[in-house]
Structures are given as structure tokens and as C-alpha cells.
Amino acid sequence: MILLGAPGSGKGTQAKLIAEKYSLLHIAAGDLLREAVNKNTPLGLQAKEFMGRGGLVPDKIVIDLIRQRLDEPDAKAGNGYILDGFPRTLAQAEKLADVEDVDIDIVLNIDVIFDLLLERLTGRRTCGSCGAVYHIKYNPPRSIGVCDKCGSELFHRRDDNEEVIKNRLDTYLNQTQPLIQFYKQRGLLKDINGSGAIQNIFKLIVTILDNKHEYTNSGVRL
Ligand code: AMP
């Protein structure tokens, strides 16, 4: 499964819920890149400046990173995976389509009105330890600045400040939005209205996925 959506659309939040319910692996390109940056790997050092500005990391770097991740035993052996934040360019989508044992069943496009994205991103807080994501207004932790799940400190992502967010949204419009058409043409796209509450959006997604499961089990592909 691929999750498409602008920064702040809730891809990561929904991906975690979907992964848990359907026992899928959650592979988030942004998390893999941040891990490489934090570990100061050669790839991380290259990626850092692009991420800091809110632009995209060059395709080759991200494609290699995702390829390596898909080659790991848990990705090969499990129930399947959710790609969150990959692909983000047409070149990435084309490369992914060429990878032999990758079979894309569905692409969910989480659609959120633009004004809401800025508010969601500036208010986002992330757990540095387990990766849980909160929002100071829409999904606050029980105690300020502390993760409900693991008790670690929450932080404000460096690229969640207004200036960088504007670049990230422009980058999305110019480079990622064309993927909606790409997957629509291939009959894989499902649109989700992502403007409501987390659990309501999740219910919409579950309805779509459960219906799809029935179709595929009866031999009809969506
Ligand atoms: P995210 O956590 O998905 O918001 O990603 C954070 C940043 O990582 C983005 O603003 C990009 O700089 C970089 N990034 C994540 N995924 C990709 C991708 N598929 N292609 C290029 N850059 C990416």
C-alpha cells in the first residue's frame, strides 16, 4: 500500500494505525532519512541540507534507501507493507513500478484543505524515542511535552517551522501531486477526505480496505 498526501495530511498517523490493525510493516521514507541524518552516515550527511530547506532529497539517494529497506527480511517475509512518503516524485514512482517483487495493491490519497496543513504542522510534536506523533491542539499528549506511549520527551521537528513548511508545501504541489494522476490512471487510487478527526478518517480507511479485501478474496481486483 502507498499513502499519498501533503505534509501534515496525517499520512504517518494513519499509517501507524493501519499497520497495527492489518499487521503490515510501516516504512516511512522521512523516518529512514532522519535516522541516517542522526547517525551521521554518508547518506545522512548528503540528505541533511535538502531536508533542512524543505526540498526533496535527490531521487537516487531515496531510491537506494528504500530498496535496501525492502530487501530486509521483515519486508520480504511479512504480510506486506505501507510506504509512507515514498514515492514523492514521478521518477520514484516509475522506479518502484520496475522493482520486480513489489506489487502495489492500493494507493490511498489523503486529501486535506491547504489552510489546515499549516496549522497541523506547526502544532505537531514528535516523540524522539518511539516516533509517536501528537498535535498540541488536536491530539495532545496527557502531560505536556511527554510521550504517552514511552514517557520520552517530545520535540518540534526542525522542518516544522513556518518558512520551511512553505517550501515543503510548494515541493508537494510541484513534485508529488502529479502522482495522484499517475496512480489514478493505473486504477489504484482511492481518495480519502483527511480533514476530520483521526479516528473518523481511520474508519473511512478501514471501510475501503475491508471492502477491497472482500473483492480480492472473491477474485475480483479493484
Ligand atoms: P516526512 O517525514 O515524510 O515529512 O519527510 C521529511 C523530509 O524528508 C522531506 O521534507 C524531504 O526533505 C525528505 N523526504 C522524505 N521522503 C522523501 C522522498 N520520497 N523523496 C525525497 N525526499 C524525501
Side-chain angles (χ1 to χ4, degrees):
M1 178 193 311
I2 292 173
L3 278 183
L4 282 184
S9 60
K11 292 188 302 295
T13 301
Q14 296 299 332
K16 288 186 180 73
L17 296 170
I18 301 166
E20 199 180 357
K21 180 169 169 68
Y22 296 96
S23 305
L24 300 172
L25 200 61
H26 174 201
I27 300 179
D31 288 349
L32 294 177
L33 286 165
R34 273 184 292 277
E35 196 184 319
V37 170
N38 290 340
K39 285 186 183 155
N40 279 320
T41 66
L43 188 151
L45 291 173
Q46 287 183 65
K48 191 172 179 176
E49 63 167 285
F50 298 99
M51 295 172 76
R53 286 199 303 257
L56 290 183
V57 174
D59 285 335
K60 176 153 185 1
I61 297 181
V62 185
I63 290 166
D64 286 350
L65 192 71
I66 293 286
R67 270 210 133 107
Q68 279 169 25
R69 183 66 191 87
L70 296 182
D71 270 342
E72 284 175 28
D74 58 349
K76 291 213 167 291
N79 253 350
Y81 37 80
I82 305 172
L83 293 177
D84 159 10
F86 184 89
R88 256 175 155 113
T89 63
L90 281 171
Q92 292 177 15
E94 276 156 8
K95 267 276 180 277
L96 185 66
D98 285 346
V99 182
E100 236 173 53
D101 42 356
V102 173
D103 188 12
I104 302 162
D105 287 315
I106 190 164
V107 179
L108 297 180
N109 175 42
I110 308 188
D111 194 26
V112 173
I113 49 168
F114 237 62
D115 289 353
L116 196 57
L117 294 173
L118 196 66
E119 194 194 3
R120 282 197 183 170
L121 289 166
T122 48
R124 176 157 76 177
R125 298 292 181 272
T126 310
C127 174
S129 177
C130 74
V133 178
Y134 300 87
H135 188 279
I136 48 175
K137 181 166 151 197
Y138 297 117
N139 179 28
R142 280 192 292 272
S143 58
I144 297 172
V146 181
C147 179
D148 291 350
K149 298 202 171 87
C150 72
S152 301
E153 196 183 341
L154 300 180
F155 71 97
H156 192 195
R157 261 173 58 175
R158 251 182 306 208
D159 59 351
D160 278 347
N161 71 70
E162 240 177 86
E163 204 185 308
V164 179
I165 288 172
K166 291 213 168 90
N167 289 339
R168 290 165 66 202
L169 294 176
D170 279 349
T171 303
Y172 167 78
L173 287 178
N174 295 328
Q175 305 204 54
T176 309
Q177 213 177 32
L179 293 183
I180 295 176
Q181 200 53 28
F182 178 91
Y183 287 117
K184 206 176 257 173
Q185 279 164 357
R186 284 156 183 77
L188 291 168
L189 195 91
K190 287 274 166 199
D191 285 307
I192 308 277
N193 177 355
S195 297
I198 293 171
Q199 284 304 331
N200 293 343
I201 298 163
F202 183 53
K203 274 189 204 142
L204 289 175
I205 293 177
V206 168
T207 309
I208 288 176
L209 296 181
D210 286 351
N211 281 338
K212 177 175 167 49
H213 189 64
E214 268 170 39
Y215 275 114
T216 40
N217 276 355
S218 63
V220 183
R221 264 190 90 92
L222 276 185

